Amino acid sequence: MVKRKKQKSNMEELKKEVVMDDHKLTLEELSAKYSVDLTKGHSHQMAKEILTRDGPNTLTPPPTTPEWVKFCKQLFGGFSLLLWTGAILCFVAYSIQIYFNEEPAKDNLYLSIVLSVVVIITGCFSYYQEAKSSKIMESFKNMVPQQALVIRGGEKMQINVQEVVLGDLVEIKGGDRVPADLRLISAQGCKVDNSSLTGESEPQSRSPDFTHENPLETRNICFFSTNCVEGTARGIVIATGDSTVMGRIASLTSGLAVGQTPIAAEIQHFIHLITVVAVFLGVTFFVLSLLLGYGWLEAIIFLIGIIVANVPEGLLATVTVSLTLTAKRMARKNCLVKNLEAVETLGSTSTICSDKTGTLTQNCMTVTHMWFDMTVYEADTTEEQTGKTFAKSSDTWFILAQIAGLCNRADFKANQEILPIAKRATTGDASESALLKFIEQSYSSVAEMREKNPKVAEIPFNSTNKYQMSIHLREDSSQTHILTMKGAPERILEFCSTFLLNGQEHPMNDEMKEAFQKAYLELGGLGERVLGFCFLNLPSSFSKGFPFNTDEINFPMDNLCFVGLISMIDPPRTAVPDAVSKCRSAGIKVIMVTGDHPITAKAIAKSVGIISEGTETAEEVAARLKIPISKVDASAAKAIVVHGTELKDLQSKQLDQILQNHTEIVFARTSPQQKLIIVEGCQRLGAIVAVTGDGVNDSPALKKADIGIAMGISGSDVSKQAADMILLDDNFASIVTGVEEGRLIFDNLKKSIMYTLTSNIPEITPFLMFIILGIPLPLGTITILCIDLGTDMVPAISLAYESAESDIMKRLPRNPKTDNLVNHRLIGMAYGQIGMIQALAGFFTYFVILAENGFRPVDLLGIRLHWEDKYLNDLEDSYGQQWTYEQRKVVEFTCQTAFFVTIVVVQWADLIISKTRRNSAFQQGMRNKVLIFGILVETLLAAFLSYTPGMDVALRMYPLKITWWLCAIPYSILIFIYDEIRKLLIRQHPGGWVERETYY
Amino acid sequence: MRRQLRSRRAPSFPYSYRYRLDDPDEVNQNYLADEEEEAEEEARVTVVPKSEEEEEEEEKEEEEEEEKEEEEGQGQPTGNAWWQKLQIMNEYLWDPERRMFLARTGQSWSLILLIYFFFYASLAAVITLCMYTLFLTISPYIPTFTERVKPPGVMIRPFAHSLNFNFNVSEPDTWQHYVISLNGFLQGYNDSLQEEMNVDCPPGQYFIQDGNEDEDKKACQFKRSFLKNCSGLEDPTFGYSTGQPCILLKMNRVVGFRPDLGDPVKVSCKVQRGDENDIRSISYYPESASFDLRYYPYYGKLTHVNYTSPLVAMHFTDVVKNQAVPVQCQLKGKGIINDVINDRFVGRVIFTLNIET
């Protein structure tokens, strides 16, 4: 108890934001705190001591459930429990019989064995299925050991990352993975990619300066397992292993309790319903049989028998196989489902919380717009480069491309010529890479260009300059130089006195400045990163060989000529807008939750349709109407962009209100903990939440979500581990497929269950009649099992292949509270109506066979005791003939075989009516080949069981006369016509009584 | 009421965050990711002042909630969930507000019950119709199929729900019930009764009665006196008092069954397992130990009312005493099967005699 409490408080702790003060300390304080020399590092001795004290620098792997526990979960979870209960009850009944009767019927024993076998086999099957997908998971794991460069005792040494200890002096350089949480003490042009931790799409520069209160934002901290993109840095390890920020998130993730999947909840609800019906029936007939004069013992055996007869033995297997089939179908469409039950969850999903970077976007900066010749041009941003082109003939474009290509430090990595340009890996900053790719793609080879215009000097970018400059020899006249410059647009404009228009230089004027300002605002408003470009042809006095000095500038760097602007963004994936709109029309709310900046987030949200056209945020309404934000009518603003800092101060109630009152929501600058809180908020409002994400920062939310969806290619290991489903192609559009498949399988499971449950009534009523009317048992345990585990199986599974009746993507997600998998209407239809007709058919066949053999129905009433008397070998029938015990048993078993065959025949009709819930079978057609196969298999199996020689000994099933097969046909037709009329009424009177009472 | 309040107040806080496009620094905050901190710091929460009324309302609400929480806290914390479940169940059973029983109003209940009544009534009509057609196809005199009841079974009398005849000669109590059973069984064979009801038909041939199915058929006499020593007429204890028990054997009636012509079905008994000499002699009555052909065929109980099944009595005159002797009596004759493995009463019967002295 105490332990649990402690665990809980630990979880609460983890949910809080990171608290850290190392970034605020001065270097001296830091040195003192970790008692380490800032130049020499720890001594080897010291490092060893700390290592033994703190343990290795690794994340504790999430506690893996042992295989046997997983197996037991499959064996004893959900539906299996019902079957186990049945098996135990049967065994109890058998024990009672054995205790009071020397030679009891073995039926109950067989039944309990068969039930156990069914559960075990199905359990093994689903265990095998899940083991298969978890094997695919394991292949994702990256096993390469990482190295770290530490300084210990004054010497640099390479050690395994696991051996890095608190206070170690570590050096990182471009391309390295940060080995622990570091407080930087020095840095040269260091940039780190924090995207997996914060979701920011661009690399962040790092320096020893304390710049922000928030440790996640300050510039002097590097985080464990993020990547250093370029530059070098040296820092002190301030946390290792699980105490790192990344480690905290990982342990938060693995500590989260996972809720029940919706389908598991539905199955539980179903079990409740079935149990109520079974117990009700059992108790009723228990009382009845006592009233009829049976003994206590017999009545108890009856009670157990009736309860067990209500257990649909085959349903567990049917559900498992149906889910597996769907999982396979989804895997073919690149959705890998880790947990079988999660197959359906996506179909029930009512809210999708999507990460931005890497999920909605390509996670790759791409040039989107240019502004030159006073015009905004759009660049091609599609992943396949199939978009439109722009005015490439302008001379300005020629110069712009030259500058972008030359004043650029990015380069392609070697040996990638075969890859399409967009897919090639580059070195250098994301925006420079974007420019490089863009120029390579739409202008000419950058390498060639650089070769023709060799660089002679450059000033790299820094945050005080906000520009980058380089000087090249000119291609056309090799004696002169050209100065190219790019940077923050307003800084660039300050350098310029002229501007280029259609290749001609014009002096700068107000008109131009205004146009510049407008274009800048427009592009900036799109959330794009804007760069300005300018150049200067240096006078001939600076001829070849001139010693350019970039520290003490000895060349002109003013009165440059402004060329244009280029803007870039991490563009959305091509298929995303379509997928989002499909989710919308399917009634699913799509919320963006990102660690990125609000403007970028909002821009992407708008471009993918998460904030749809014409929807405004309160700020926009206020700006349009020119009123203060506080006066904006709440109903006018359906969209909202919430900043992480606000979220921090919100009460959960206020969060609920935000979620409730807005249809289009973007959360920006959110921390992993906040993502979790948002998911919890949605769940509190009753939504079934899907979370998509790729980074470590998404993993707590992925775990907490009803279904977590990770990205297969770009996703981090932690996120894949936390997720229930993995999009192997990283394509958000696959989610739509998932939703569709999930909804379809939900509908089809309903149909399957309807089909399977219906035959329960013709299986139970014989036993009830046996008790009440005292007639020979019309249907035995073996034949019941033949139906449930034999003939009904393939048809029930075939319903999983049924196509949708209407466009399932056009309707709202189901309400998990009211729209249940199995409701009282389904039970009513299956048990009260179709099942009753089936039972009648069975009894009719039964009476036909007995009457034709000499036992008229009237004479059968109350015959039970004599019929079952083994010593009575001259029982008289209606014609005065005398039967031995065995002779009449043969007739009884023939009747049971016929009853069984009759159920098969009426199940044909049941299968066809179960194909649809609203449409006529004629509208739906018989395109489901598997279903036709199912009918065939069912029939052949029945014939096989009846006619194969030796079956009389093995299963006590006897060959039937052909006419006995026909007895059920009228009832089949009756079922079909009855249900067609019912569906016609449902279609013609939507919302009418028939629909309210019978539409399941 | 509370919900309304909330939605009215809803817009008062979320829009605290603002960003300004007109600030070039901030628009360009993404530039090489260096400027964001400034932007961050500027994005301050702007709290919209609430009207006093609203604040008061909120305070009230908060107070209410606190009270509620306290109340809940005072209740048993573990029993709460159960109590709630119970209440939900209770409401489901009978919801006084909407006058609903099991989530249905009286009207709804009567409608659905009425519909189901009609539904089942029509189903009853359907099955009645089907049964009616069934009886049209079935003759009341001759069963449609008799192959399951053939070959005929065999049964013995006295019948005492057991095939073990255990008795002590010197203790009449142990065999008295056999005698009573046999006497009762043979009442229908009394000579006077047979002479009165049945005809004396010629032996050695079938007693075939042509004519319509529905005509009454005559039956042949089988008199009790045919059984001689086992008739109970001379020895009213059927030999049980002397340790020489009589056991009557009869063949099951099957409509239309005829044994092979000229070769009546015979009965023969022997020790089933063990020493053949355990039974040293058996007397059969009638002496032919066979069922005469005149008792066949049987025309069914509706027309062949007084049909009397022929019997063969086995008089075990010399059986080993004080030990269980398994006896198998078989029918022999053409067309008779007496070795069906599953059915030990077809064409044969097995019982044990354990006579104590």
Side-chain angles (χ1 to χ4, degrees), chain A residues 453-460 469-474 477-484 536-558:
Chain A
N453 303 285
K455 197 191 287 180
V456 290
E458 85 174 322
I459 302 175
M469 190 276 302
S470 65
I471 298 169
H472 301 261
L473 268 178
R474 280 178 63 167
S477 57
S478 57
Q479 291 306 306
T480 54
H481 290 92
I482 182 170
L483 182 152
T484 58
L536 178 67
N537 284 321
L538 290 176
S540 48
S541 49
F542 301 95
S543 58
K544 193 175 181 180
F546 180 84
F548 289 101
N549 187 341
T550 51
D551 291 330
E552 291 167 38
I553 289 167
N554 56 356
F555 50 90
M557 230 178 70
D558 45 11

Side-chain angles (χ1 to χ4, degrees), chain A residues 570-631:
Chain A
D570 178 13
R573 291 168 186 274
T574 326
V576 170
D578 190 38
V580 169
S581 82
K582 273 186 183 157
C583 288
R584 270 275 153 68
S585 64
I588 301 171
K589 194 167 170 180
V590 184
I591 298 177
M592 181 193 276
V593 183
T594 177
D596 214 336
H597 297 275
I599 297 179
T600 329
K602 190 174 161 195
I604 294 292
K606 282 200 161 164
S607 69
V608 300
I610 286 179
I611 295 180
S612 50
E613 232 171 286
T615 315
E616 290 174 307
T617 61
E619 292 83 0
E620 284 168 331
V621 175
R624 181 165 51 85
L625 301 175
K626 302 203 167 61
I627 51 171
I629 285 177
S630 53
K631 297 227 174 103

Side-chain angles (χ1 to χ4, degrees), chain A residues 218-381:
Chain A
T218 187
R219 226 176 280 172
N220 55 0
I221 303 261
C222 286
F223 295 102
F224 177 51
S225 96
T226 58
N227 283 312
C228 178
V229 181
E230 62 179 61
T232 57
R234 188 179 272 207
I236 294 287
V237 174
I238 53 172
T240 56
D242 287 334
S243 48
T244 59
V245 173
M246 200 65 97
R248 284 169 59 99
I249 294 172
S251 30
L252 172 62
T253 308
S254 59
L256 281 174
V258 186
Q260 210 180 17
T261 60
I263 195 78
E266 288 304 322
I267 284 176
Q268 200 170 2
H269 179 246
F270 170 52
I271 291 176
H272 284 168
L273 261 178
I274 276 283
T275 315
V276 167
V277 171
V279 170
F280 172 75
L281 267 180
V283 170
T284 309
F285 281 85
F286 176 73
V287 174
L288 247 173
S289 50
L290 282 180
L291 290 179
L292 283 172
Y294 288 97
W296 274 97
L297 215 64
E298 261 180 312
I300 286 174
I301 301 286
F302 289 161
L303 171 74
I304 293 176
I306 292 169
I307 290 177
V308 173
N310 270 289
V311 176
E313 291 92 350
L315 208 51
L316 173 63
T318 309
V319 170
T320 312
V321 172
S322 299
L323 289 178
T324 311
L325 286 172
T326 307
K328 287 215 161 136
R329 209 162 6 175
M330 285 165 88
R332 271 204 296 279
K333 292 174 182 167
N334 288 319
C335 294
L336 179 76
V337 183
K338 279 169 66 184
N339 171 4
L340 211 51
E341 283 176 348
V343 167
E344 191 277 330
T345 312
L346 211 44
S348 311
T349 299
S350 52
T351 305
I352 297 178
C353 292
S354 179
D355 180 37
K356 178 182 78 74
T357 316
T359 311
L360 297 173
T361 67
Q362 303 168 10
N363 197 13
C364 163
M365 271 287 167
T366 310
V367 172
T368 46
H369 290 98
M370 287 152 294
W371 182 75
F372 57 85
D373 295 346
M374 311 285 253
T375 323
V376 172
Y377 293 102
E378 211 170 300
D380 183 5
T381 55

